[in-house]
Amino acid sequence: MQNNSTQLELLNNTNKTFEEEFFRYAKPFEYEKGSSPFYPDDLLKYFYIVVDGRVKTYQINFQTNKEQTLFIYKRGDMFDVISLLDGKPHEVIYEVIEDANILRLPIEKVRYWLENDATFNKKFFPYLAAHMRYTEELATELALYDTKERFLNLLVQNLNPNHRFRYQLLQNLSNSEIAKLLGTVRHVIERSIKQLKADDIIETSRRNIKVKNLQKLLDKTSQMLLK
């Protein structure tokens, strides 16, 4: 685990003292797909960094069963940044959607690094900014665009390495999980996929969507922005 973890972006260009201290406190855990091992009270005591696999965080309306995925955390992602910063419970649900290896750190130690280690600060705050920017974009999309338009945007962001939380996100993701990312239901996404395949813009294989004609896709997203 340690050899794999040293390749995490968080530890790039850090000094040996920090790295040694990091691994002194970081404990590796393995979680199986389908498990929900993280609870608000746990996240007041511990901070987590994904080494590999994927974990989603979501909220659900239990009256309607409507579910909205907020983030899908993958390698290098950290949670829960909100509880880390304000020390209060964050009422969201976590689910492992792909077998995961995750490092657990005492949250007070992470707060200490934030206050006292400039190297850690330089890695954490750009991540926090990306986290906040993504949340803002998600709120804007849900308020301003319909499901088809949000799906088109997701397809573009999935190809953009500068979009941290959506780059290569669709790989091995079911249509049901894609729907939850967009705040809709599976059959709506499947209808959009069928239309884009008919337009020869995408092709699909098992749990994989490949863009065949990027320019056509970009033209459609440009039309969306001009509305």
Side-chain angles (χ1 to χ4, degrees):
M1 170 69 77
Q2 179 165 330
N3 290 337
N4 193 26
S5 303
T6 56
Q7 302 305 311
L8 290 173
E9 181 183 340
L10 180 66
L11 298 177
N12 288 346
N13 302 316
T14 56
N15 61 58
K16 186 176 181 180
T17 301
F18 176 80
E19 189 172 314
E20 289 175 349
E21 185 175 28
F22 179 90
F23 284 116
R24 192 158 63 246
Y25 286 95
K27 293 185 177 181
F29 290 85
E30 296 181 2
Y31 299 101
E32 293 184 353
K33 178 181 177 180
S35 61
S36 299
F38 310 105
Y39 298 95
D41 288 347
D42 295 330
L43 295 163
L44 293 177
K45 297 183 291 185
Y46 301 110
F47 192 69
Y48 298 89
I49 301 174
V50 180
V51 176
D52 56 51
R54 292 194 284 187
V55 177
K56 76 171 181 177
T57 179
Y58 66 98
Q59 291 182 329
I60 187 169
N61 183 325
F62 289 102
Q63 293 182 329
T64 64
N65 286 326
K66 185 176 181 181
E67 184 177 319
Q68 175 65 56
T69 297
L70 303 174
F71 291 90
I72 293 181
Y73 296 113
K74 53 187 184 297
R75 181 174 176 81
D77 285 326
M78 301 179 272
F79 61 91
D80 185 297
V81 296
I82 293 178
S83 292
L84 173 70
L85 294 174
D86 69 10
K88 298 177 182 178
H90 187 196
E91 298 297 336
V92 294
I93 306 168
Y94 288 85
E95 180 184 338
V96 178
I97 60 171
E98 187 178 287
D99 289 353
N101 291 302
I102 296 177
L103 295 177
R104 191 185 78 180
L105 294 140
I107 200 164
E108 289 302 330
K109 191 62 186 178
V110 179
R111 288 195 182 107
Y112 174 84
W113 289 333
L114 275 178
E115 294 175 4
N116 297 281
D117 193 285
T119 302
F120 185 77
N121 270 332
K122 289 178 181 178
K123 298 295 177 65
F124 178 81
F125 282 108
Y127 178 83
L128 175 62
H131 200 281
M132 295 173 65
R133 186 180 296 276
Y134 172 77
T135 304
E136 180 182 29
E137 290 173 354
L138 177 62
T140 300
E141 284 190 5
L142 289 170
L144 299 182
Y145 301 116
D146 64 26
T147 301
K148 182 178 179 180
E149 291 167 335
R150 296 200 302 276
F151 182 51
L152 291 172
N153 199 36
L154 175 60
L155 288 172
V156 173
Q157 292 171 335
N158 182 68
L159 299 173
N160 184 357
N162 294 320
H163 202 289
R164 177 176 187 122
F165 290 102
R166 285 190 166 177
Y167 179 53
Q168 296 184 339
L169 184 61
L170 298 180
Q171 185 176 354
N172 200 35
L173 206 63
S174 69
N175 290 342
S176 293
E177 289 296 346
I178 294 172
K180 292 168 186 176
L181 269 172
L182 299 175
T184 187
V185 292
R186 186 181 66 186
H187 77 267
V188 174
I189 294 302
E190 290 175 345
R191 184 165 63 241
S192 293
I193 289 173
K194 185 177 180 180
Q195 291 171 347
L196 290 170
K197 288 173 71 175
D199 291 338
D200 206 33
I201 293 175
I202 65 171
E203 61 184 11
T204 61
S205 57
R206 179 173 173 78
R207 292 199 173 193
N208 191 35
I209 299 174
K210 180 181 179 181
V211 175
K212 293 176 63 178
N213 193 320
L214 178 58
Q215 190 56 55
K216 276 189 179 181
L217 178 61
L218 292 174
D219 288 344
K220 283 184 174 290
T221 55
S222 296
Q223 293 166 13
M224 175 184 80
L225 294 172
L226 290 173
K227 284 187 176 182

